Amino acid sequence: VDKVKLLDQRRLPAEELYLETRDYHDVIEAIRTLAIRGAPAIGVAAAMGAALGALSLDTRDGKEFQSRFQDICREIAAARPTAVNLFWALDRVLLVAQEHADESVDAIKAHLVTEAQTMLKEDDTTNRRMAQAGQVLIRDGQRVLTHCNTGALATGAYGTALGVLRAAWEAGKRFSVWVDETRPLLQGARLTTWELGKLGIPYTLIPDGAAATLMHQGKVDLVILGADRIAANGDTANKIGTYSVAVLAHHHGIPFYVAAPLSTFDFSIPDGDHIPVEERDAEEVTHLWGQSVAPAGAPALNLAFDVTPHDFIAGIVTEKGIMEPPFTSSLKPYRPAQG
Ligand code: MRU
């Protein structure tokens, strides 16, 4: 297996176009430009990119291979800064390379390919466990609000927050979903609607600014969304606009849940102030599909993520069950020994 195939999410929902490549630089570009996006999907793509990179190395010398492989992983790590799954995945493949350092270069390459494939399969299992754990939160007749995209597109398969909704739907519960459009790149409008439509789950697309009014009118019963990095105390980085939804939910007494696998937790940082927030090109805000929607040269700020303080979060759905506040205690059994 020497190529990576991925659905180009920039084209959705208009076109279902697959990118296929043998060059790890293309995987970096796909992550950077959001052809592939969503924290768990970025992690799997990074591992696959690293495997492609390893396959491209022409040396038979073990030491040289290790050092060039580390350079490749560093290059991939620079693709995007916030989703910790990227670094989690690269640490994992680097460890595999080191653990097999006394074997032939060809054997190490084979181990790296297998590891990347294992990570894809594991992500599917993890998401299904998370979905089963979380679906108890969903009740018949609820109107659930979500932000950004957390479905199969954003993961190896199945989805995180959308996975929870999917499992609830498959269990026979009937509910509907408010989908935040998620400016500026419209992951809600383009991707979440597309996925919910395929699953047959009823939804209504809303502009991000409509959530307050819907909550005031008593039309939102629960919020569930994903995460890109969760600090040891439960502070959660997710798509820009998530924090606003959390504050609104708190104000209106609506439960606000996060769904994320343990690979999205960063136990090395005590709180959300330590999470690097990606700032993307201002043009993503001033333009839509290449068309300017602001005066030429209008200054714009494009922070891709925000951090929701842990005290706005009612629970975090993981593959190990629903973590409840205080998160430092509920997460304790899952902290790596050195973390
Ligand atoms: O910039 P993106 O589209 O990669 O941001 C994605 C999100 O913020 C998702 O909510 C998060 O990664 C969870 S995906 C299961």
Side-chain angles (χ1 to χ4, degrees):
V1 201
D2 62 351
K3 53 183 184 229
V4 169
K5 186 176 170 188
L6 52 94
L7 180 55
D8 186 346
Q9 300 189 32
R10 295 167 301 187
R11 308 260 192 162
L12 288 173
E15 257 183 301
E16 274 180 57
L17 198 99
Y18 284 85
L19 298 173
E20 219 175 81
T21 184
R22 288 187 166 79
D23 184 345
Y24 79 93
H25 295 99
D26 292 336
V27 177
I28 296 177
E29 193 59 7
I31 296 173
R32 208 182 56 73
T33 59
L34 271 59
I36 184 147
R37 47 144 299 284
I42 291 172
V44 173
M48 299 225 164
L52 284 186
L55 292 176
S56 74
L57 293 175
D58 50 12
T59 182
R60 303 214 146 261
D61 177 75
K63 269 216 172 84
E64 190 189 340
F65 174 83
Q66 293 287 344
S67 124
R68 287 172 66 188
F69 181 62
Q70 285 164 15
D71 289 343
I72 287 171
C73 289
R74 261 192 292 275
E75 260 184 88
I76 300 174
R80 290 190 79 188
T82 303
V84 77
N85 303 61
L86 174 66
F87 312 102
W88 168 86
L90 292 171
D91 284 349
R92 217 171 123 165
V93 292
L94 280 164
L95 193 67
V96 166
Q98 275 156 26
E99 277 171 356
H100 295 279
D102 54 349
E103 297 176 29
S104 73
V105 165
D106 281 346
I108 304 173
K109 288 179 180 177
H111 287 302
L112 289 168
V113 171
T114 307
E115 185 70 5
Q117 288 167 332
T118 305
M119 283 162 81
L120 176 61
K121 280 191 216 119
E122 274 179 16
D123 195 55
D124 184 15
T125 317
T126 300
N127 285 333
R128 286 173 197 273
R129 287 208 181 113
M130 193 169 13
Q132 282 312 322
Q135 62 102 352
V136 297
L137 298 170
I138 311 300
R139 299 204 183 90
D140 269 321
Q142 272 181 339
R143 290 142 309 170
V144 180
L145 186 136
T146 194
H147 190 75
C148 198
N149 171 264
T150 61
L153 286 172
T155 61
Y158 208 77
T160 59
L162 274 202
V164 168
L165 297 180
R166 180 170 170 179
W169 190 261
E170 284 164 3
K173 298 181 196 179
R174 291 300 171 256
F175 55 89
S176 62
V177 186
W178 298 113
V179 178
D180 273 357
E181 64 172 346
T182 318
R183 274 282 288 151
L185 294 180
L186 303 173
Q187 286 91 335
R190 297 187 298 108
L191 309 175
T192 301
T193 52
W194 187 74
E195 292 199 280
L196 287 173
K198 281 189 182 250
L199 294 168
I201 302 177
Y203 67 83
T204 306
L205 176 64
I206 54 169
D208 298 334
T213 295
L214 291 171
M215 288 186 185
H216 174 73
Q217 292 174 345
K219 292 179 179 163
V220 180
D221 302 299
L222 180 126
V223 175
I224 189 160
L225 37 72
D228 291 87
R229 191 187 295 225
I230 304 176
N233 69 345
D235 289 355
T236 292
N238 191 48
K239 182 52 56 195
I240 192 81
T242 299
Y243 182 19
S244 323
V245 176
V247 173
L248 288 170
H250 182 75
H251 178 75
H252 293 93
I254 298 164
F256 177 98
Y257 284 94
V258 170
L262 288 172
S263 53
T264 300
F265 287 75
D266 184 350
F267 290 104
S268 74
I269 53 171
D271 58 52
D273 288 344
H274 296 80
I275 300 178
V277 170
E278 176 179 19
E279 186 175 341
R280 296 183 61 84
D281 200 323
E283 218 174 83
E284 291 179 351
V285 176
T286 57
H287 288 62
L288 267 178
W289 320 131
Q291 289 278 30
S292 178
V293 292
L301 176 66
N302 188 12
L303 298 175
F305 301 96
D306 58 27
V307 178
T308 296
H310 60 92
D311 40 334
F312 289 142
I313 303 172
I316 308 177
V317 182
T318 73
E319 67 271 35
K320 299 287 184 191
I322 305 176
M323 304 295 146
E324 282 174 2
F327 298 114
T328 20
S329 318
S330 52
L331 289 168
K332 210 168 189 174
Y334 308 107
R335 287 179 75 112
Q338 72 277 26

